[in-house]
Every structure is written in C-alpha cells, then in structure tokens.
Amino acid sequence: MATIHEIMARTFDARTERKSATYTDTPDPEHDRIVRRWNVEPIPPEEIAAAEAAKRRAERDAAMPEPLNILSRHRNQKDFGLPTTLTDEQAVAWAVYLQGLRDYPETGVWPDKPE
C-alpha cells in the first residue's frame, strides 16, 4: 500500500497566504508513494484586517489594567478626602493615555505612557 507524502506547491508568506483546501495527488511508484501537492491561496484582505485588529485589541487589553488601577486609586483617594498619590495634572495624563489605549485598535497609534 502506497503512503501519501505531502508537500506544498511552493513556499508562501503566511501573513498573506495560506494552504488551500485543494491538492493534486501524483503517483510516485519509484518510492511506492503518492505525492500530495497542496495549493496555496491568498488570505482575503478582510480576514487579514480582522486578525490585525484582534492583535491590537489583545495588546491594548494587556496594557489597560495599569492605568485603570491608577485612576481608580486616584478617584477613591479624592472621593474619601485622602491625600492623593497623583496630582490632578498627572491624573489627566493617565486618563489621556487610557483613552489612547481605548482608541488604539481603530487608530493603530500606540499612546505615550505617562511617567
């Protein structure tokens, strides 16, 4: 019984192309096998864009806890009349950074983190 030896039709850029669902089988009696050559197809631009947006959302989501916690602490300190660890100007800078993170998936522009 012949085995199936799988290969790609050519090398490809996995960012813009993928293995197709179609292939061609060619007998190779010398090696007692069938060579299955997989085709390559382009990835539709909307799928590439969706994957890039998902990556940006994941990056944003990983960065959001820090400014959320900092701003929450500042609001709590102000609400309870406690001394604040941030000045109001620093709190505004963190709020602007947080908004930049929220906008990042659509804009693609990573905001500058306050110091």
Side-chain angles (χ1 to χ4, degrees):
M1 176 165 200
T3 60
I4 296 178
H5 177 73
E6 296 191 29
I7 61 173
M8 294 302 301
R10 62 180 172 81
T11 59
F12 62 94
D13 182 349
R15 294 171 298 177
T16 58
E17 298 175 305
R18 63 184 168 206
K19 180 174 146 180
S20 174
T22 61
Y23 57 85
T24 305
D25 283 345
T26 307
D28 182 5
E30 181 179 327
H31 296 100
D32 190 30
R33 66 182 184 181
I34 295 171
V35 175
R36 177 167 290 166
R37 184 177 307 271
W38 288 93
N39 296 318
V40 175
E41 66 183 12
I43 300 172
E46 58 274 7
E47 285 185 36
I48 294 171
E52 289 171 355
K55 180 182 175 208
R56 287 193 300 270
R57 283 191 302 276
E59 292 169 342
R60 182 260 332 258
D61 291 349
M64 285 188 72
E66 182 183 19
L68 287 169
N69 289 335
I70 288 171
L71 288 170
S72 176
R73 179 185 65 210
H74 183 72
R75 275 191 300 272
N76 288 343
Q77 290 169 337
K78 297 232 359 151
D79 288 348
F80 295 110
L82 301 170
T84 61
T85 53
L86 298 176
T87 65
D88 287 341
E89 293 79 22
Q90 290 170 320
V92 167
W94 279 100
V96 168
Y97 174 64
L98 181 60
Q99 187 59 51
L101 289 174
R102 288 181 175 129
D103 295 342
Y104 173 63
E106 289 77 32
T107 66
V109 177
W110 190 263
D112 293 328
K113 184 176 176 181
E115 294 188 19

